[in-house]
Amino acid sequence: MNALLLDAGNTRLKWRLADETQLHSLAYDEGFESVLRSALPSSVDVAYLACVAPPRIRDIVQRVVLERAVRLSEARTMAQLDRLQIAYMQPAHLGVDRFLVLLECAALQRDVLIVSVGTALTVDFLRADGHHRGGRIAPSPTQMRAHLASLSAALPASGGAWSPDQPFATDTDHALASGCEGMAIALITASLEAARREAPETELWIHGGGAQTLLPMLPQACMLPSDVVLRGLARWAGLPCSDVTGYTPGR
């Protein structure tokens, strides 16, 4: 069966065929619909969609996909699936992208703290037995910078650098990087410490568009694959999945 996997995030769409490794990505810029129509495969048997994008984007993706797919199924967060049992009392309140990442990671049977750095910074604690212990949500460093820049023209939305060894900056752009990225690092570090009080061997796994910026300041962290949501979507759809025995995300 020729299956298409799609992940409609907050700012871009990612997709790949289930039996291929090549990952495609497209931002929601002007002309998104026409570019998407030319970029997707011309024909597939079935498509599976994970969507946290605005309704307008969901409508475009569904319309374009159904022009070439016999069937389209959209993933929804479930209270329990396979080994995973989420902590939220109301499953619909947990974003489907976070749910699918948890579903993929639950198959690995490890105590993990999963951090996503995108439009938001999300943290989820998952036990090796598949029990999700809950999570945290905060603005990502990029969104912190953008908000501050919207309030004052003197505060640039990007630029600057810092390191934990030199947290006190001597210029505004460096100070903004130190403050906004430092807040993210502090939240992640505090969350990892809390998780390790319950499960001392908890590992830190990170993914998302802003993960590479924070990775050097998190020496214990490992990068999850950029298609981790699609991997979880394949599990949700019941498609054949790669063997995860002994799988360790690469840095």
Side-chain angles (χ1 to χ4, degrees), residues 39-144:
L40 287 181
S42 59
S43 177
V44 294
D45 296 320
V46 61
Y48 298 98
L49 171 66
C51 184
V52 295
R56 181 183 69 85
I57 297 297
R58 173 187 272 111
D59 291 345
I60 291 173
V61 172
Q62 290 178 340
R63 180 166 59 251
V64 173
V65 169
L66 286 172
E67 291 173 359
R68 60 208 69 213
V70 176
R71 177 168 57 89
L72 170 64
S73 296
E74 184 171 345
R76 304 292 183 186
T77 299
M78 303 169 64
Q80 186 168 1
L81 182 61
D82 297 336
R83 302 183 69 258
L84 175 64
Q85 182 174 326
I86 67 169
Y88 278 33
M89 298 300 295
Q90 299 185 58
H93 288 182
L94 179 71
V96 70
D97 52 348
R98 289 170 64 196
F99 167 71
L100 293 172
V101 172
L102 286 164
L103 183 62
E104 170 68 11
C105 292
L108 308 181
Q109 302 184 39
R110 297 182 183 182
D111 295 316
V112 292
L113 190 77
I114 304 164
V115 176
S116 173
V117 190
T119 302
L121 188 151
T122 66
V123 180
D124 285 288
F125 181 27
L126 177 66
R127 294 302 308 270
D129 62 3
H131 280 73
H132 174 224
R133 302 289 287 124
R136 310 175 85 169
I137 303 175
S140 69
T142 300
Q143 288 300 311
M144 292 185 211

Side-chain angles (χ1 to χ4, degrees), residues 138-159:
S140 69
T142 300
Q143 288 300 311
M144 292 185 211
R145 293 286 299 266
H147 180 65
L148 289 172
S150 72
L151 299 176
S152 172
L155 301 177
S158 61

Side-chain angles (χ1 to χ4, degrees), residues 187-241:
L187 177 63
I188 295 168
T189 301
S191 299
L192 185 60
E193 291 174 354
R196 285 179 172 169
R197 286 195 290 271
E198 179 176 329
E201 300 301 317
T202 298
E203 301 173 9
L204 176 59
W205 295 354
I206 187 169
H207 69 103
Q212 287 287 352
T213 300
L214 301 184
L215 193 63
M217 292 167 279
L218 296 166
Q220 298 177 331
C222 290
M223 282 288 292
L224 283 165
S226 57
D227 67 343
V228 63
V229 174
L230 296 178
R231 294 182 184 216
L233 181 60
R235 290 187 182 281
W236 175 86
L239 298 174
C241 298

